[in-house]
């Protein structure tokens, strides 16, 4: 039986081309937490490794409740993907820890690695794409660039 990958080529491209992502977790008492991330690596086999640099709430929450949502969004195009899955914390002795450290270099002190096993994914798009279906991505990008000038 061949299983379809959750991480498609389009999602992998989004992961590889993003400069910023967000990881949403929840504590055992269901208090939500969203934490910005700037160091990650697609590990293949529907796994994404995210560096734990300075997010103790993220780690605590994952240990209490491993279900997470990771989002990658192109802020100019206003589209991207959210990936739902189960996370676990990998410590310094794990191979993924060393692969991620080698990939991002010594820019950040990595305390541990969050490994996310993707279970499902869905696109994220700005309402403009739905409300104004004739709007092109280049028009959205142009508008976003004008707003940031």
């Amino acid at each position: 039986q061949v299983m379809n990958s959750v991480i498609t080529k389009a999602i992998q491209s989004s992961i590889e081309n993003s400069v910023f992502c967000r990881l949403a977790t929840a504590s055992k008492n269901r208090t939500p937490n969203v934490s910005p991330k700037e160091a990650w690596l697609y590990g293949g086999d529907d796994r994404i490794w995210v560096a734990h640099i300075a997010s103790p709430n993220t780690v605590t929450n994952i240990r209490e409740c491993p279900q997470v949502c990771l989002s990658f969004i192109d802020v100019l195009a206003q589209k991207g993907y959210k990936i739902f899955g189960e996370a676990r914390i990998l410590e310094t002795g794990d191979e993924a820890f060393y692969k991620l450290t080698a990939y991002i270099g010594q820019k950040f002190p990595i305390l541990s690695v969050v490994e996310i096993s993707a279970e499902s994914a869905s696109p994220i798009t700005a309402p403009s794409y739905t409300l104004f279906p004739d709007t092109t991505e280049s028009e959205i990008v142009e508008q976003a660039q004008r707003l940031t000038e």
Side-chain angles (χ1 to χ4, degrees):
Q1 177 183 1
V2 176
M3 291 183 56
N4 290 333
S5 180
V6 171
I7 306 294
T8 63
K9 292 225 181 279
I11 296 171
Q12 185 175 346
S13 177
S14 182
I15 291 169
E16 292 169 353
N17 293 315
S18 292
V19 295
F20 179 78
C21 71
R22 292 177 182 91
L23 180 59
T25 61
S27 66
K28 66 182 173 189
N29 68 0
R30 299 168 41 131
T31 301
N33 182 66
V34 176
S35 181
K37 304 297 178 196
E38 58 181 318
W40 61 85
L41 176 64
Y42 176 59
D45 299 325
D46 285 336
R47 291 171 304 144
I48 302 164
W49 298 319
V50 179
H52 160 43
I53 299 165
S55 302
N57 288 342
T58 295
V59 171
T60 299
N61 286 355
I62 288 170
R63 287 193 168 124
E64 293 176 356
C65 178
Q67 294 301 315
V68 300
C69 180
L70 183 65
S71 67
F72 295 91
I73 299 170
D74 178 328
V75 294
L76 293 178
Q78 298 179 44
K79 58 169 61 171
Y81 294 93
K82 56 185 168 181
I83 300 161
F84 299 94
E86 190 165 307
R88 66 186 183 119
I89 306 301
L90 304 177
E91 304 299 338
T92 56
D94 193 280
E95 181 183 354
F97 182 91
Y98 299 111
K99 283 183 179 179
L100 184 59
T101 302
Y103 177 72
I104 66 168
Q106 297 301 315
K107 181 177 179 182
F108 303 105
I110 299 176
L111 302 175
S112 60
V113 172
V114 176
E115 180 181 76
I116 299 164
S117 296
E119 297 170 351
S120 66
S122 59
I124 299 171
T125 56
S128 295
Y129 288 104
T130 305
L131 295 173
F132 309 103
D134 294 336
T135 303
T136 65
E137 183 175 312
S138 57
E139 290 172 328
I140 297 279
V141 169
E142 242 178 69
Q143 181 182 1
Q145 287 173 326
R146 278 195 308 271
L147 291 172
T148 60
E149 291 176 351

